[in-house]
DNA sequence: CGGTATGTTGACAGTGATCAAGAAAGGTGG
DNA sequence: CCACCTTTCTTGATCACTGTCAACATACCG
């Protein structure tokens, strides 16, 4: 716990305590995703040497702003990260959420195109981009990890972009199913982020998100255990909504 | 011209003649994008050896269907390719258009997630995926080409997904500017694909696309030279619409 | 020249945004 | 532990944007 840098110290002792338990419980060791081949000790050491953090963030903190130099790329250790763009009229679009284990901010451009913010309290690992880039050029295993990581993100955002001509009901259903599979896959889905975040991700208003959830509940497709917990009562019906 | 395989023989002699001129004029040689370093003769030879085609397609031909085994990946030599998903109700979403020089269908999954179809007559180069994959694992240059290729696609689709909460006017403006920069960048933009394709790409109806273009024309932001050619009279105003 | 595919314009309807008010949850201080 | 306050979520009423249906115009091709 001593190696955790603290940013934006929390005022809630209870929450902080719980958070530290999670933080020290898992994820602080080097993520195994990088260690593709046990024989590649060199790659492992090289990548480890450029690790910084993890740094702890409170909810709604900004990790990087759009336009910031892309000196670092990041990995979620714990919590949820949102990557978004703000528009002049105050609107905001959330391109993607990132869950623990996911790399984000990886780019070949000089600056980040999107802001990265924490949607919940979060632990973030930093990597120097230039170092990672040059290691990737030498070490095949690192390069292929980056490639598969990028392709996973590509696949995810392709699915998301398919929502552009879909109804509110379909968007929400898609989101719930996605969230369910990305977490544990059980029928009870915890919504770690606010409805505002969900709305900005789905391109809807918070009112429509709320109304749609109510509508799905009335149709006995889902059930609200609490405002932030939804039970997927009838997953098949939810899948049918996707078409 | 002898090495061009012909698929779906065209019924239009005039169009076909014109098309062959284009085809033989450029792009039939191995794309230089792969030859990142002249010293990497091995990589070049390896990649060249798995090249197939180019194969010529007529407009609205299917290159691969969603769900097809991902045995090959492709590169556009000439023409426009659309990658899309069909929904049960007959609706269709076009995730991306691909212009000459672009790689598409590259995935680490067993099957293609999206169909690839030609939006215009097109010349397509094939590569055996397994071969390319294994060469990439050995040859750094090939891997980094694939990586940068994937990242370019990621950036592009991220921009596209930002349209999810934007108005019709903004979507069309974004499309026109994108198309302009992707082709020659001059003020006269040729629309190589149908309005239906544009509509399915932007998540709008063809009527709305048509109406929005008319509206932009009335606002003296653009001008219709013909149904398929649009002049960006006031590019600054167009950019302002993006916000 | 005629036929088909594609694009344009109008009238109307429906989905979702906006505005507004109230309810519930979570954090703060006594 | 409880009362208060702030934030978040829910629900209702209304309006605007975009989809749908229909008719017409234009371009393309044989």
């Amino acid at each position: 716990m001593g190696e955790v840098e603290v940013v934006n110290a929390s005022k809630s002792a209870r929450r902080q305590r719980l958070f530290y338990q999670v933080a020290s419980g898992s994820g602080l060791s080097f993520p195994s995703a990088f260690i593709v081949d046990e024989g590649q000790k060199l790659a492992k050491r090289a990548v480890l040497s450029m690790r910084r953090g993890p740094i702890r963030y409170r909810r709604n903190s900004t990790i990087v702003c759009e336009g910031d130099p892309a000196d670092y790329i990041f990995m979620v250790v714990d919590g949820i990260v949102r990557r978004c763009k703000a528009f002049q009229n105050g609107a905001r679009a959330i391109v993607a959420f990132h869950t623990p284990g996911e790399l984000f901010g990886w780019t070949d451009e000089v600056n980040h195109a999107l802001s990265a913010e924490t949607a919940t309290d979060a632990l973030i690992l930093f990597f120097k981009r230039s170092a990672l880039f040059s290691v990737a050029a030498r070490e095949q295993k690192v390069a292929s990890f980056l490639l598969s990581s990028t392709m996973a993100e590509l696949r995810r955002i392709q699915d998301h972009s398919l929502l552009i001509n879909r109804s509110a009901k379909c968007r929400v259903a898609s989101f719930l199913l996605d969230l369910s599979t990305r977490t544990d896959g059980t029928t009870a889905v915890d919504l770690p982020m606010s409805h505002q975040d969900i709305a900005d991700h789905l391109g809807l208003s918070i009112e429509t998100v709320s109304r749609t959830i109510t509508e799905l509940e009335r149709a006995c497709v889902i059930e609200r255990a609490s405002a932030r917990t939804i039970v997927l009562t009838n997953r098949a019906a939810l899948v049918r909504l996707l078409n």
Side-chain angles (χ1 to χ4, degrees), chain A:
Chain A
M1 215 187 289
E3 72 170 296
V4 177
E5 303 175 41
V6 176
V7 169
N8 283 336
S10 171
K11 288 164 194 162
S12 162
R14 184 148 49 103
R15 178 147 205 157
Q16 190 158 347
R17 217 180 308 125
L18 200 130
F19 186 63
Y20 270 124
Q21 286 169 12
V22 173
S24 58
S26 75
L28 283 188
S29 60
F30 188 70
S32 62
F34 268 111
I35 308 162
V36 190
D37 180 334
E38 276 305 321
Q40 288 287 350
K41 294 291 180 194
L42 179 66
K44 181 183 172 181
R45 244 181 294 132
V47 172
L48 269 170
S49 73
M50 44 189 186
R51 179 169 74 87
R52 299 278 180 280
I55 293 185
R56 196 174 74 77
Y57 287 91
R58 287 200 62 213
R59 188 167 71 105
N60 290 330
S61 304
T62 300
I63 300 170
V64 285
C65 275
E66 50 182 295
D68 278 0
D71 298 334
Y72 287 91
I73 70 163
F74 316 91
M75 182 180 268
V76 185
V77 175
D78 187 70
I80 304 282
V81 169
R82 59 175 182 244
R83 288 198 315 132
C84 54
K85 176 177 167 61
F87 294 98
Q88 293 193 358
N89 57 7
R92 186 185 62 162
I94 296 180
V95 170
F97 290 111
H98 295 286
T99 51
E102 283 184 32
L103 211 64
F104 66 94
W106 171 240
T107 175
D108 56 358
E109 291 186 324
V110 183
N111 298 313
H112 287 289
L114 300 170
S115 298
E117 305 168 356
T118 52
T120 66
D121 290 352
L123 273 177
I124 307 297
L125 219 48
F126 283 55
F127 296 93
K128 245 204 150 57
R129 189 182 78 110
S130 56
L132 194 51
F133 202 82
S134 69
V135 169
R138 291 194 313 271
E139 293 298 330
Q140 189 49 51
K141 302 292 176 183
V142 174
S144 74
F145 170 68
L146 289 175
L147 183 56
S148 76
S149 207
T150 306
M151 286 209 294
E153 190 172 357
L154 185 61
R155 207 176 317 128
R156 186 168 288 288
I157 202 169
Q158 269 178 11
D159 285 344
H160 182 242
S161 76
L162 290 173
L163 298 180
I164 198 171
N165 64 343
R166 315 298 295 164
S167 69
K169 206 186 281 191
C170 171
R171 295 186 190 192
V172 171
S174 160
F175 178 77
L176 290 176
L177 285 168
D178 180 47
L179 201 59
S180 163
T181 57
R182 282 175 87 171
T183 54
D184 49 4
T186 57
T187 53
V189 177
D190 178 65
L191 305 180
M193 69 290 285
S194 69
H195 278 208
Q196 184 65 64
D197 282 347
I198 296 171
D200 288 346
H201 182 53
L202 299 178
L204 301 171
S205 66
I206 46 172
E207 292 93 336
T208 300
V209 169
S210 187
R211 265 188 269 266
T212 306
I213 290 174
T214 303
E215 199 178 341
L216 291 176
E217 193 178 24
R218 267 202 280 269
C220 296
V221 175
I222 62 175
E223 202 172 312
R224 257 192 275 249
S226 76
R228 289 283 182 104
T229 307
I230 287 178
V231 183
L232 307 189
T233 316
N234 188 346
R235 189 182 292 254
L238 217 47
V239 170
R240 245 189 323 265
L241 289 175
L242 302 186
N243 263 348

